[in-house]
Amino acid sequence: MLIIQRKVSMERTLALVKPDGVQRGLIGEVISRLEHRGLKLAAMKLMRLDQATAQQHYGEHVERPFFPGLVEFITSGPLVAMVWEADGAVEIVRNTMGATDPKNSPMGSIRGDLGVNIGRNLVHGSDSVESASREIALFFQPGEILDYTRSNDSWIIEP
Ligand code: IDP
Ligand code: MG
């Protein structure tokens, strides 16, 4: 008997509800949108980012004028860090969040619906598979990322 097994690659990405989202009571709203989309939650924690980790996380922007303000903001209060899983998770999470500047972000996206200012854009999503694996390792120990079966998977992903 020939068994054709389709390889569904389960990509992982890091998502953050930044301190503005936590303060504004939007943790549940952000999680709901990602959950409703069909992404699978693999890890989550409420945490306060220290200076060094924040600088590492945003290392690509170190020369930009907004860098000091960005590090101050991201360390200013608790944030929610999450790992979400799907085939194409990086792109799906970025699309769900919208453009970096809420002003240019379409309605229906998290930033387009809930924000007005680029420096308070509520959420972070990794921008590539490479960034995702680097960022996930910054926020989570391997044992904190869970592998489990979701009973409704066949209604979300064609087997
Ligand atoms: P992204 O979050 O959509 O990936 P990046 O260009 O990687 O956007 O910038 C990282 C974060 O830095 C943004 O989410 C935003 O919070 C902040 N940022 C980017 N550009 C500006 C700016 O021009 N002024 C203030 N903050 C900015
Ligand atoms: Mg980015």
Side-chain angles (χ1 to χ4, degrees):
M1 188 171 67
L2 179 66
I3 298 173
I4 300 171
Q5 218 175 11
R6 191 192 304 178
K7 195 176 170 304
V8 179
S9 66
M10 273 307 149
E11 199 170 283
R12 283 176 171 165
T13 191
L14 181 83
L16 303 177
V17 181
K18 295 179 182 179
D20 51 342
V22 174
Q23 294 296 328
R24 290 177 55 193
L26 294 171
I27 299 170
E29 174 78 26
V30 171
I31 293 173
S32 272
R33 286 175 183 233
L34 297 171
E35 259 189 324
H36 288 164
R37 186 93 199 244
L39 290 144
K40 182 175 158 187
L41 186 61
M44 176 164 72
K45 60 181 157 191
L46 180 71
M47 61 186 286
R48 180 96 180 245
L49 210 56
D50 62 70
Q51 199 83 0
T53 311
Q55 285 172 352
Q56 253 182 296
H57 174 65
Y58 282 126
E60 64 172 312
H61 299 302
V62 69
E63 303 296 342
R64 310 287 289 276
F66 61 79
F67 183 76
L70 177 59
V71 170
E72 192 187 339
F73 160 65
I74 203 76
T75 57
S76 66
L79 55 74
V80 176
M82 296 166 285
V83 176
W84 289 92
E85 215 172 75
D87 185 16
V90 167
E91 192 181 356
I92 293 168
V93 167
R94 295 274 295 185
N95 289 342
T96 307
M97 291 179 174
T100 302
D101 189 343
K103 278 205 296 291
N104 310 320
S105 201
M107 284 180 68
S109 67
I110 292 171
R111 287 161 169 172
D113 287 349
L114 306 172
V116 293
N117 182 266
I118 193 168
R120 298 289 183 270
N121 62 1
L122 295 157
V123 283
H124 167 85
S126 308
D127 65 7
S128 66
V129 174
E130 295 70 36
S131 306
S133 71
R134 184 182 67 80
E135 293 173 0
I136 288 169
L138 264 182
F139 283 80
F140 291 96
Q141 302 293 324
E144 294 176 317
I145 304 166
L146 305 187
D147 222 343
Y148 61 97
T149 305
R150 199 170 48 166
S151 60
N152 61 351
D153 262 352
S154 66
W155 299 104
I156 297 170
I157 304 151
E158 188 183 4

